[in-house]
Amino acid sequence: MLIEVLVALAVIVVTACLVGGLFERFHQPAVMGEVVAGIILGPSLLGRVAPELAAVLLPTATMPFLGVLAQLGVILYMFLTGLELDLKELRSRATTTMAIATSSIVVPFGMGLILAKTLYGQLAPVGIGFTPFALFLGVAVSITAFPVMARILGDQGLQRTPLGIVALTCAAINDVAAWCLLAVVVGVTQATFSAAIQTIVLTVAYIALTLTAGKELMVVLVNRVGATTSVGERSLALVLVAVLLSAAATELIGIHAMFGAFLLGAMIPHESVIATYVTRRLDGIVRVMFLPVFLAFMGLRTQIGLVQTTNDWLLCGVFIAVGTIGKSGGAAVGAMLAGLHWRDSAALGILMNTRGLVELIVLNIGLDLGVISPRLFSMLVIMAIATTLMTAPILRALLHRRPWS
C-alpha cells in the first residue's frame, strides 16, 4: 500500500504543479489550478475517459491516506497564515472588520433562504424537511474560502497589507460563523439541536480564551525563548505540538481543525524570531506538496458530469448570480457603511466572494448528511469554482489605479 500511496501522491503533486502553473500564465491563482487538477484526475475526467488508468494511478484504497495528508496540509497552511496576521493592525480596524464580516454573512444567508423556498420542491432530496434544506443552502452561499483567499492574497503579495489583514480576518469570522450555522443544520437534521448550541458556545469561548489569556501567555513564552535560548528544532517541535493540539481542540468542539491552527498562529507575534524561523522551515514544503494535495483531494471528490440538462446549467447560473450579488454586495455595503472608499469596498466584496475549498468541505458534509442531492452538490461546486476564478482578475482591475488606503 505504501507504494500506491507514494505514486498517487507524486501524480497529484506533479499534476497540481503543471495545472497551477498553467493557470498562473493566464493570471489566475495557482490554487484554483490545483483544485482543477483534482477534478481532472477524478471521476469528472480521467475516471470517465480512462477508468483503468485512474484505478492504477489513484486506487480507491489510497484515498483515506491521501485524505489524512490533505487535512494535515490545510492545518499547517492555516497556521502559517495565522503567523502572518498582525493583531495590532487588526485592532486598529475593528469596526471596519466587524461591519464587513457581519454584512457578508447576513445578506447572502438571507438570499439563500429565499432561493431555497423557490427551489425546495425541485432540488431537495426526498425526506428532507424545508428547514434543514433552507439553512444549508443559506450556509452554502454565505461561505468564504479562507485557505483560498489566503493563497490568492499571497500570490498577489497582499497578505500583509491592510487589505489582506482585514480580508483574512473577515473571512475567519465569516467561516467560524458558517461552521456554527452548519452545526445548527447538522443538529436540526439529526435532531440534536442542543449539541449544535453547545458547539457555538464552546467556539465563542475558545476564541475568546485564545485571543486574550492565550495571546498574553504566548507573548511571554516567545519573548522568554527568544531571549534565553537559541531557536532551533526543539522550538519547532514544541510549536508543531501546540498547532496539532489547538487543531484537535477545535475539531473536538465541532468546527474544522484548520481554525484551531489559524488561531494558534495568530497568537504568536508575527515579528518574533520564532515566527520567522518556523515560517522559513515549513513554508516551502507546505506550499509545494501538502497544500496541493488538499486542493486536489477536494477536486477528486467532485463529479461535474452530474450537471447535464439546460435547466441544470441555468440553475448553476442562478446560484452564481445569487452567491456573487449576496456575498460581494453584502460585504461591499458593509465596508462603505464603515467609511471606506467605494473601490476599496468593492475589492473587499470581491475577496469575500472567494469560495472553493471550504465550500467543497461544507458541500461534502451536506451530501453525506443527505441534506442535498448529488445533482445539487455538483451545481454548488460549479458555483464555488466560478466565483473563485473571477476573484483575481476583478481584484487586479479594482486595485490597478488605486492601492488600498
Side-chain angles (χ1 to χ4, degrees):
M1 181 54 65
L2 178 59
I3 294 176
E4 288 83 354
V5 172
L6 293 176
V7 170
L9 183 60
V11 169
I12 289 174
V13 172
V14 169
T15 307
C17 181
L18 292 175
V19 180
L22 181 63
F23 268 57
E24 286 184 325
R25 290 187 61 183
F26 290 95
H27 306 290
Q28 283 288 348
V31 59
M32 288 314 297
E34 292 161 0
V35 174
V36 172
I39 294 175
I40 291 172
L41 292 172
S44 298
L45 185 60
L46 185 63
R48 180 182 293 268
V49 300
E52 297 84 3
L53 179 60
V56 171
L57 295 178
L58 297 164
T60 304
T62 64
M63 291 299 108
F65 300 96
L66 294 176
V68 172
L69 290 175
Q71 294 301 325
L72 179 61
V74 77
I75 286 170
L76 291 176
Y77 183 73
M78 293 316 300
F79 164 66
L80 292 175
T81 301
L83 277 181
E84 296 182 350
L85 188 64
D86 187 350
L87 293 180
K88 295 179 181 178
E89 179 69 28
L90 171 60
R91 283 192 291 268
S92 68
R93 299 178 182 270
T95 302
T96 300
T97 300
M98 289 307 301
I100 298 169
T102 301
S103 59
S104 67
I105 296 170
V106 173
V107 175
F109 186 80
M111 294 181 69
L113 295 182
I114 295 172
L115 188 61
K117 186 174 183 179
T118 304
L119 300 176
Y120 173 70
Q122 183 178 353
L123 294 177
V126 177
I128 290 296
F130 173 74
T131 299
F133 178 80
L135 289 174
F136 185 85
L137 199 57
V139 172
V141 297
S142 303
I143 291 291
T144 294
F146 196 178
V148 176
M149 180 196 283
R151 187 68 180 270
I152 290 174
L153 288 169
D155 291 343
Q156 299 288 329
L158 297 171
Q159 70 273 28
R160 293 191 179 183
T161 64
L163 170 62
I165 292 169
V166 171
L168 283 172
T169 308
C170 288
I173 296 171
N174 188 292
D175 278 0
V176 169
W179 282 107
C180 291
L181 289 170
L182 184 62
V184 174
V185 176
V186 174
V188 170
T189 304
Q190 299 180 341
T192 55
F193 188 74
S194 60
I197 298 300
Q198 178 180 319
T199 295
I200 295 173
V201 172
L202 290 176
T203 298
V204 173
Y206 187 76
I207 293 173
L209 181 64
T210 299
L211 296 181
T212 54
K215 173 68 175 176
E216 295 301 321
L217 177 62
M218 187 60 68
V219 169
V220 172
L221 293 176
V222 167
N223 290 338
R224 180 172 298 179
V225 171
T228 60
T229 63
S230 60
V231 178
E233 292 184 357
R234 291 184 180 179
S235 300
L236 177 62
L238 291 174
V239 169
L240 289 177
V241 168
V243 172
L244 296 175
L245 291 177
S246 183
T250 52
E251 185 73 22
L252 182 64
I253 287 171
I255 58 176
H256 200 281
M258 66 181 177
F259 290 110
F262 174 80
L263 286 171
L264 194 282
M267 288 168 58
I268 300 175
H270 82 287
E271 75 282 359
S272 65
V273 176
I274 287 182
T276 302
Y277 177 80
V278 171
T279 300
R280 187 172 66 248
R281 294 296 298 269
L282 294 181
D283 190 67
I285 188 67
V286 170
R287 289 179 182 272
V288 171
M289 186 174 74
F290 284 107
L291 185 62
V293 171
F294 175 76
L295 298 169
F297 185 75
M298 291 296 103
L300 285 170
R301 304 186 68 183
T302 304
Q303 301 182 57
I304 302 298
L306 291 177
V307 182
Q308 298 178 342
T309 67
T310 302
N311 184 60
D312 288 345
W313 286 105
L314 288 175
L315 287 174
C316 287
V318 170
F319 284 124
I320 292 170
V322 169
T324 301
I325 294 171
K327 196 69 180 176
S328 297
V333 168
M336 286 189 287
L337 290 176
L340 299 184
H341 186 274
W342 73 265
R343 193 185 299 273
D344 301 332
S345 301
L348 280 168
I350 289 300
L351 280 168
M352 294 301 291
N353 194 42
T354 305
R355 288 182 175 85
L357 303 184
V358 178
E359 178 83 357
L360 292 175
I361 295 171
V362 169
L363 294 180
N364 275 282
I365 293 173
L367 186 63
D368 291 339
L369 287 172
V371 179
I372 58 174
S373 64
R375 175 168 162 246
L376 179 56
F377 171 82
S378 299
M379 294 177 188
L380 293 174
V381 167
I382 293 171
M383 177 198 70
I385 294 173
T387 54
T388 305
L389 288 178
M390 68 175 66
T391 299
I394 297 177
L395 183 65
R396 283 195 299 270
L398 286 170
L399 299 182
H400 176 65
R401 295 182 179 179
R402 176 186 171 89
W404 172 267
S405 55

